[in-house]
Amino acid sequence: MRRETDAQVIVIGAGPVGQSAALLLARWGIQVLVLDQRPARGRGGSKSICQQRDVLDIWAAAGAGKIAEEGLAWTTARTYYRDRELSSWSFEDDGTLPACVNISQSRTEQILDEIIAGQPLIEVRWDHEVTGLTQDSSGVSLRCGQRVLRAPYVLACAGARAQGVRSAAGVAFAGESFDDQFLICDIKAELPGWEDERRFYFDPVWNPGRQVLIHPCPGGTYRIDWQIAPDFIPTKDDIARKLRQIIGDRPYELLWHSTYRFHARLASRMRAGRVLLAGDCAHLLAPFGARGLNSGVADAENAAWKLAFVLNGWAGEGLLESYHAERHAAARENLEVTAATMRFLVPRTVEERMRRRAVLEGGRIAEVDSGRFAEPFWYVDSPLTTPEPSRPFRGRPPKGASCEPAPGVILPDVALPGGRLRESCRDGFLVLLGDMCDSSLFVQVLGKVITAPLAVRGLAEIDGTGSLAERLGAGPDEAWLIRPDSHVAAILPHAGPESVAAAVSRALGGSPDT
């Protein structure tokens, strides 16, 4: 048997999560081999279409800003009960990237493929099914047919059907599957007034007792999801009839259609030794709220910078273990949020059905749950986060709004002269200092004790107008420690270099190198 790879990390799965992981690893100088069991890239179909602002930011850091540029930025979500509008809400305008864009998964994959093709540190091998996995103290061996490929670490992004990989890593995948199914259609049509709105219908006359969701997409296309009976197999005539019930006699072109069922499952571990699990390989969520792909890309970013820091000798095993602590907690929250949505959308008991009907007929808007939209997970309880009592996490903000800055929360993507704040956060740790802090002293002291990439910048240096400090609520004697994924690791009042060094050490998982 041949062992043939120089990769430092093997990524299993060439979907958008695996692609993102490979690009982010390569950005840190890591040699990556991507394996996919399919013979080639599949084309067509919208699949996961809603990409949230913070994920667009991750892709921009990976060189894929084109996704945000090509995506359709929708602004308003409307919810209806039968023919009556119950509510609408709009995203808060915060940052220079759109709050959300709709773009098909197939087009996202094409854009990521284009960037990967120009990246010499990434090799992609199709038609490579992983049929065996073993690991020891120095690396992981993967069997692909007659080949054995070996690397120090493996990042499994192999999707929902990766049971063989999970089993070989000793990871369980408990949860449940739902009987109800959905029909998806991608159509091209002119629907005036619908071009930038998401519309969710409970119990419309053209789908009684069930739901319909309509999303605008680029190029005058729309995605429509119908909840349908578990045993219903739609014919072309059924699809045409359903479409006519919504769009009337307008001309349209049916581009693609499919059916799907959804699941709620979570891996028992997202780190199993030298194997890390990400995306659908680690968690399956109901689609309402667009938390699947968005959380998968966040998994990829979290895993990538931590693997890179360990491989480059800047951190130890504690940092890798924090991947499980942080992203497993994120997946649990996503499951809780989507489970509450599913109890409302697909009630299973008489009591749940009665409650939903009372909420909808009574117009109790605050209790209507059509899916809380994807948002970053805030690492307030992470072992990497230094808490600060004067900056407590105040819980989830109102729907569509941004979270108030605090340790563990992602940094707001503030517009600055010549760019965005987060663009300066992606090359290592960043220390932001108030006006009363001596930047040169921090540089001198931290440079002696920190080996990981770290930059020190004054808030006034970044933005002399003072608007950045005001937006953050940063005091003149404070130091803010920002992680490579733009999350706030610490906010330190009356800060000195020693307290910042301690916070960096903690944010590196207690690395022996600090």
Side-chain angles (χ1 to χ4, degrees):
M1 291 187 182
R2 294 179 288 168
R3 300 171 182 261
E4 45 175 77
T5 179
D6 295 322
Q8 295 168 279
V9 177
I10 296 177
V11 174
I12 306 175
V17 175
Q19 291 172 293
S20 301
L23 285 167
L24 293 165
L25 284 162
R27 190 176 183 276
W28 288 104
I30 302 301
Q31 189 89 31
V32 185
L33 173 62
V34 181
L35 306 176
D36 198 288
Q37 66 178 2
R38 295 171 293 176
R41 170 76 64 207
R43 302 294 184 191
S46 54
K47 299 181 183 177
S48 297
I49 61 169
C50 298
Q51 319 306 348
Q52 190 256 357
R53 169 186 286 136
D54 303 283
V55 171
L56 298 176
D57 175 50
I58 294 171
W59 278 329
K66 195 174 183 180
I67 297 174
E69 295 168 3
E70 287 195 14
L72 185 144
W74 59 277
T75 58
T76 303
R78 299 189 186 278
T79 301
Y80 297 82
Y81 176 51
R82 295 178 178 165
D83 59 353
R84 175 167 59 98
E85 182 174 333
L86 291 178
S87 65
S88 67
W89 60 271
S90 298
F91 290 107
E92 186 176 280
D93 186 13
D94 182 20
T96 60
L97 292 170
C100 172
V101 302
N102 284 354
I103 185 170
S104 71
Q105 180 174 322
S106 59
R107 179 56 186 149
T108 296
E109 290 172 339
Q110 288 173 5
I111 293 171
L112 295 173
D113 277 341
E114 291 168 6
I115 303 166
I116 287 172
Q119 175 49 259
L121 291 175
I122 302 175
E123 179 188 358
V124 180
R125 298 186 188 178
W126 298 96
D127 203 18
H128 273 62
E129 180 181 3
V130 175
T131 56
L133 181 154
T134 58
Q135 58 178 309
D136 53 41
S137 60
S138 62
V140 186
S141 298
L142 299 179
R143 183 187 296 274
C144 298
Q146 294 302 308
R147 294 184 174 90
V148 174
L149 305 174
R150 185 170 174 84
Y153 294 97
V154 163
L155 181 53
C157 311
R161 296 181 175 87
Q163 186 55 42
V165 172
R166 286 188 293 262
S167 296
V171 174
F173 201 47
E176 61 178 328
S177 299
F178 292 81
D179 291 333
D180 288 76
Q181 64 173 337
F182 282 77
L183 165 67
I184 319 171
C185 288
D186 293 346
I187 67 168
K188 187 175 181 65
E190 292 186 13
L191 301 175
W194 295 22
E195 299 93 337
D196 61 358
E197 295 184 354
R198 185 213 76 167
R199 297 185 171 214
F200 195 108
Y201 292 85
F202 287 100
D203 194 21
V205 293
W206 20 271
N207 199 33
R210 293 188 167 88
Q211 284 77 243
V212 174
L213 178 62
I214 304 171
H215 266 284
C217 294
T221 63
Y222 294 83
R223 167 172 163 161
I224 306 178
D225 292 49
W226 291 263
Q227 183 189 7
I228 57 178
D231 57 349
F232 182 59
I233 302 175
T235 65
K236 289 184 178 180
D237 289 342
D238 291 326
I239 292 171
R241 174 176 52 82
K242 286 181 174 296
L243 287 169
R244 287 296 179 206
Q245 288 174 330
I246 296 175
I247 69 172
D249 59 0
R250 294 182 179 92
Y252 74 90
E253 179 185 358
L254 178 63
L255 305 175
W256 176 79
H257 72 277
S258 183
T259 58
Y260 69 90
R261 286 183 168 84
F262 44 87
H263 315 270
R265 296 186 180 277
L266 177 60
S268 55
R269 292 280 303 173
M270 289 183 65
R271 180 206 176 199
R274 291 177 171 269
V275 179
L276 278 59
L277 279 65
D280 286 354
C281 186
H283 44 73
L284 291 175
L285 309 168
F288 301 101
R291 290 171 177 260
L293 178 55
N294 283 287
S295 64
V297 175
D299 292 343
E301 182 186 38
N302 194 294
W305 79 264
K306 292 175 180 178
L307 284 167
F309 272 50
V310 171
L311 285 164
N312 285 319
W314 301 326
E317 289 294 307
L319 185 62
L320 277 190
E321 183 57 22
S322 76
Y323 171 74
H324 167 77
E326 291 184 345
R327 297 311 301 166
H328 201 260
R332 290 198 304 272
E333 179 178 90
N334 283 328
L335 279 172
E336 290 171 4
V337 171
T338 54
T341 299
M342 293 316 302
R343 286 194 295 273
F344 192 82
L345 296 184
V346 189
R348 293 183 170 183
T349 66
V350 173
E351 291 78 9
E352 288 178 351
R353 287 192 290 272
M354 290 177 63
R355 175 185 175 273
R356 189 181 90 149
R357 182 172 181 177
V359 167
L360 292 171
E361 292 187 347
R364 288 149 48 184
I365 296 171
E367 299 178 55
V368 175
D369 189 349
S370 59
R372 183 181 174 97
F373 190 65
E375 58 211 331
F377 183 73
W378 300 298
Y379 304 129
V380 294
D381 296 319
S382 167
L384 307 188
T385 300
T386 299
E388 172 47 50
S390 66
R391 297 275 190 165
F393 174 59
R394 302 189 184 281
R396 292 176 183 156
K399 184 183 292 186
S402 299
C403 189
E404 183 177 331
V409 172
I410 196 167
L411 194 70
D413 193 18
V414 179
L416 297 173
R420 300 182 290 112
L421 176 59
R422 288 196 201 159
E423 289 176 325
S424 61
C425 300
R426 300 295 185 181
D427 297 323
F429 284 91
L430 173 65
V431 179
L432 298 174
L433 297 176
D435 292 345
M436 292 175 59
C437 300
D438 184 348
S439 296
S440 60
L441 177 62
F442 279 79
V443 170
Q444 180 182 0
V445 174
L446 294 174
K448 294 178 180 178
V449 295
I450 304 296
T451 60
L454 183 144
V456 178
R457 301 188 70 184
L459 287 166
E461 171 193 350
I462 297 174
D463 179 17
T465 68
S467 60
L468 175 56
E470 181 180 358
R471 173 67 180 84
L472 297 179
D477 65 343
E478 286 183 345
W480 288 49
L481 176 64
I482 313 301
R483 297 168 19 155
D485 56 10
S486 295
H487 284 261
V488 180
I491 301 175
L492 305 168
H494 317 297
E498 293 78 11
S499 62
V500 172
V504 175
S505 178
R506 179 168 183 159
L508 287 168
S511 167
D513 297 323
T514 59

